[in-house]
Amino acid sequence: VLLILSNKIYVKMFSSRVPTALYGLASRQSRRYLSTNGSIQKVGIVGMGLMGHGIAQMAAEKFQVVAFDANDDALKKGNEAIKGSLEKVWSKKLKDDPDAEAKVAKNVNERMSRISLASSVEDLADCDIIVEAIIENLDIKRDFYKKLGEVCDPNTILASNTSSFPINELAVASGRPEKVVGLHFFNPVQLMRLVEVIRTDSTDEKVFEKSYQFAKDLKREPVKCKDTPGFIVNRLLVPYLTQAMQLLDRGDASAEDIDTAMRLGAGHPMGPLHLADYIGHDTILAIVQGWIKLYPDNPDFQEPECLKKLVAEGKLGRKTGEGFYKWEGNKKL
């Protein structure tokens, strides 16, 4: 720490007379010390959609955050979503405080001040860890990890929020496989405490432990997992959902009876078809098809006919108002 502080003081005091190259050298030396021996301080978030802006919001509780999205509108909307979410959180916390309005504004502004919006990937170069939450398209992700590997500090940890793709595919693409992990958050990030922390055969142990601690620093509950298809939750959940759909395809039971059976017989809060509606059938089908492409001989991975039919008809569940059930907003009718 003293080394870092001395570097910062030196540059601050003499930057007007010190060559730019020396300034950069001191900066890189400080970063290298931090990345190798210290804790995470600066977090990059790539993709400011539903998952990305949720992760950014949680990270801004403690860390400096650099947020990037290739779509400028998505970047701005994600940032506004964070502000709106924070206002709701703090208004609820301080609802009985006579100075609530001022205190809400103070707490929101404090957290928003830790988030900077990046205009290019290069702005992420000096982050200690980057959490990627872009579109679930393996080719796009591979290309992006190649770019991150080229522009980021050699010690930057690259973490993917993918829910289904092999982390090793991204690790190899980055050119620095020992620095790549999976950090799979769950939606909504602000409420769901679980994070799956995934290691590949190449992941450096210190990188993995630092990523695990990062999840704990976000006040999440991390679990460790190897780079297996779907990790823990989706590997168990998605085949369960597709098995329920195959029951329906065969005419063995109605959607209502399948869901009632699992609620009352297994103690689940909602049945599998109700849950599938809530998740979104396009999401489930994309996961299953991705697995089948990568692991064609695994009998656990199946495409139910009713799932393909619903997606083809645009009946994606809750988000379109109809799936196995009809929906009004978040309420099943």
Side-chain angles (χ1 to χ4, degrees), residues 34-234:
L34 264 176
S35 297
T36 306
N37 300 295
S39 61
I40 289 168
Q41 295 189 358
K42 192 172 186 180
V43 179
I45 304 293
V46 182
M48 281 285 275
L50 190 62
M51 295 301 295
H53 75 65
I55 299 167
Q57 179 179 330
M58 299 311 300
E61 288 292 320
K62 181 172 181 176
F63 304 102
Q64 292 297 318
V65 176
V66 181
F68 171 73
D69 197 298
N71 183 314
D72 286 340
D73 287 340
L75 182 63
K76 292 172 184 175
K77 286 178 181 177
N79 200 48
E80 286 301 311
I82 293 172
K83 185 178 180 182
S85 179
L86 286 170
E87 287 171 346
K88 288 179 183 177
V89 168
W90 284 100
S91 293
K92 186 175 181 180
K93 283 184 179 180
L94 299 169
K95 63 180 180 178
D96 297 323
D97 192 306
D99 298 322
E101 186 175 349
K103 289 182 178 178
V104 167
K106 178 178 180 294
N107 278 285
V108 171
N109 291 337
E110 179 183 328
R111 286 152 181 82
M112 293 302 296
S113 71
R114 297 189 190 116
I115 302 173
S116 60
L117 304 184
S119 58
S120 71
V121 178
E122 283 75 13
D123 294 332
L124 303 167
D126 65 344
C127 290
D128 296 300
I129 188 169
I130 295 172
V131 183
E132 167 269 312
I134 65 174
I135 186 171
E136 285 288 87
N137 179 300
L138 187 54
D139 290 335
I140 292 174
K141 285 182 185 288
R142 283 197 195 101
D143 289 344
F144 191 73
Y145 274 78
K146 183 176 184 292
K147 179 69 173 177
L148 286 178
E150 292 168 351
V151 304
C152 291
D153 184 279
N155 288 305
T156 299
I157 298 171
L158 307 180
S160 180
N161 183 57
T162 182
S163 61
S164 59
F165 290 130
I167 302 301
N168 188 59
E169 294 273 346
L170 310 178
V172 171
S174 74
R176 52 172 83 181
E178 72 283 357
K179 300 293 185 184
V180 179
V181 298
L183 281 177
H184 181 215
F185 293 79
F186 290 78
N187 182 40
V189 177
Q190 297 91 332
L191 300 178
M192 298 290 279
R193 295 187 61 219
L194 181 67
V195 179
E196 293 174 320
V197 187
I198 300 100
R199 74 171 89 218
T200 74
D201 291 340
S202 302
T203 304
D204 180 86
E205 187 61 30
K206 289 183 179 179
V207 168
F208 183 79
E209 291 303 326
K210 187 177 285 190
S211 303
Y212 185 86
Q213 183 58 48
F214 172 66
K216 293 181 75 171
D217 289 342
L218 298 185
K219 297 188 176 0
R220 305 298 93 180
E221 187 71 36
V223 294
K224 300 177 182 181
C225 184
K226 291 184 178 179
D227 189 19
T228 187
F231 317 131
I232 298 173
V233 173
N234 281 340

